[in-house]
Amino acid sequence: MASNEHLAGKVVAVTGAAAGVGRAIALRFAREGAKLGLISRDKVALESLAEELRAAGAQDVAIAPIDVSDANEVFAAADRFAGELGPINIWVNDAMVTVFSLVGDITPEEFRRVTEVTYLGVVYGSMAALKQMRTQPSGQIINIGSALAYRGIPLQSAYCGAKHAIRGFTASLRAELEHEHSPIVVSILELPAMNTPQFDWARTHRAHQPKPMGTIYQPEAAAEAVLLAARTGASEYWVGTSTLLTIVGNMIAPKFMDWFLARSAVAGQETNQFVKPCRRDNLMQPVADLHRLHGSFSAEAKPDVSVYPGATTRAAIVAGGAVLFFGLGLVMAQRRQGRPRLSNRGGSPSR
């Protein structure tokens, strides 16, 4: 259990902080009076955000305009934050990039880039946090996952693969720390579709503009879930009923999910608008003027979200399934007992 009930004065590092969910997380911790270490590629965007955070209540802010795919830069940023702000209490791994593309159309270089930022960025961030936290009485690493960590969908193979990898890495790291009886806590939040600039600046090889699939939520809702994880230290949260249904559906009926997504997920991730020839993307370089909190789907996005503890929710599903099958077994047994049985002597049915 984390001991972060009172977050004022805590040092919180956030990767991918300049836009979307990362920006919402930084703002939420600022309102708690935390000290913020911000990581993103765009220095100007980070400087502007730092001023906004100070106005929102942050005690102090440090920035590191780096690329999380460079491990040495991530380690150096962690050292800088610790030197300027004090020992790092919470490290949030949120940075990501993606490419909307069929596997047959994405290039190996693009696939590698998504993996290096979205997955290895989490690995490097966690390593940097561990280096700092091992000498401290406590610490917490919070990894931003996705419902797509449990269920891959068309057009986002690189991103889905990275999110699956983050879930496996997080479980391994948590088991190691528990083996060591370490006070460091590791949490992961599986998010639903979010209204962030991701869909405005992600690279795409499709003819139509990308969009979030399913129920869409504002990034502030995800930030509230991160704050909950920081206060409780829970291992995993499933954020949003759509995430719950995706995970449970894949547990119970994976073949149905294959069928359903094959028929709905391609069109479900595309608008009716064609991609403009001048469209810029942030795969290799940041798009400066799109570093904002919300994306283009605010009219559809919900401000609040239900949050489900992964461990207890999973246990409840397993228990419910066991009760259901036990009940079905009793019914079938009673029916068998009520059926007439043939006599061993070949006579009329006995009862």
Side-chain angles (χ1 to χ4, degrees):
M1 184 70 69
S3 57
N4 295 319
E5 183 178 351
H6 302 291
L7 296 168
K10 298 287 186 180
V11 177
V12 182
V14 183
T15 73
V21 171
R23 191 181 190 100
I25 292 168
L27 283 164
R28 189 64 186 87
F29 277 108
R31 290 199 294 274
E32 293 294 315
K35 300 177 183 179
L36 276 302
L38 310 176
I39 292 177
S40 187
R41 290 176 292 176
D42 193 306
K43 182 179 180 180
V44 174
L46 286 180
E47 290 173 341
S48 174
L49 176 59
E51 291 303 313
E52 185 177 352
L53 296 179
R54 292 187 183 100
Q59 288 192 16
D60 200 359
V61 183
I63 66 171
I66 65 166
D67 191 317
V68 296
S69 67
D70 187 320
N72 291 329
E73 288 191 344
V74 176
F75 298 155
D79 290 338
R80 188 185 317 162
F81 293 159
E84 294 183 21
L85 304 174
I88 298 172
N89 303 110
I90 301 172
W91 184 289
V92 183
N93 287 306
D94 174 68
M96 55 77 60
V97 293
T98 190
V99 176
F100 288 88
S101 175
L102 297 172
V103 174
D105 296 331
I106 192 172
T107 68
E109 292 76 19
E110 290 170 335
F111 207 103
R112 182 184 303 112
R113 175 64 177 166
V114 173
T115 304
E116 287 175 345
V117 173
T118 308
Y119 171 51
L120 291 181
V122 170
V123 175
Y124 300 153
S126 299
M127 288 177 172
L130 284 175
K131 180 182 176 183
Q132 300 291 327
M133 295 175 182
R134 283 186 184 277
T135 61
Q136 301 168 193
S138 63
Q140 184 177 16
I141 298 169
I142 301 177
N143 292 334
I144 303 302
S146 169
L148 305 186
Y150 284 85
R151 174 69 239 188
I153 62 175
L155 301 186
Q156 293 205 66
S157 57
Y159 180 80
C160 292
K163 289 298 183 180
H164 273 70
I166 290 169
R167 185 163 66 92
F169 168 76
T170 301
S172 293
L173 175 58
R174 185 184 298 115
E176 289 180 2
L177 292 172
E178 290 183 1
H179 170 74
E180 297 172 356
H181 303 289
S182 171
I184 301 171
V185 174
V186 183
S187 304
I188 187 168
L189 284 82
E190 315 296 2
L191 300 189
M194 308 301 301
N195 177 37
T196 73
Q198 168 188 349
F199 303 92
D200 301 314
W201 64 17
R203 180 170 294 187
T204 179
H205 294 312
R206 306 290 295 173
H208 291 87
Q209 287 273 85
K211 70 172 185 178
M213 181 177 174
T215 306
I216 307 170
Y217 297 92
Q218 294 287 27
E220 293 93 336
E224 291 294 337
V226 171
L227 198 75
L228 177 63
R231 294 192 188 282
T232 65
S235 296
E236 183 177 28
Y237 280 115
W238 299 348
V239 182
T241 303
S242 56
T243 297
L244 171 69
L245 294 176
T246 298
I247 295 173
V248 174
N250 198 59
M251 289 169 57
I252 296 173
K255 286 300 294 180
F256 169 78
M257 294 292 286
D258 287 342
W259 176 87
F260 174 75
L261 292 170
R263 285 155 180 78
S264 65
V266 172
Q269 295 180 83
E270 297 180 338
T271 71
N272 293 326
Q273 298 178 340
F274 286 100
V275 173
K276 297 179 181 179
C278 59
R279 187 179 194 273
R280 296 168 297 161
D281 68 69
N282 76 332
L283 186 64
M284 299 299 181
Q285 298 294 332
V287 181
D289 56 332
L290 288 180
H291 282 102
R292 56 178 187 257
L293 186 59
H294 300 121
S296 301
F297 301 91
S298 289
E300 307 168 45
K302 296 184 176 182
D304 302 309
V305 67
S306 300
V307 180
Y308 305 89
T312 55
T313 305
R314 187 181 289 105
I317 293 168
V318 172
V323 170
L324 175 62
F325 282 111
F326 181 72
L328 288 174
L330 286 178
V331 171
M332 294 176 66
Q334 290 173 353
R335 286 184 176 181
R336 283 197 297 268
Q337 290 176 357
R339 290 175 183 169
R341 293 178 294 174
L342 293 177
S343 170
N344 291 334
R345 298 177 181 178
S348 59
S350 62
R351 296 186 181 275

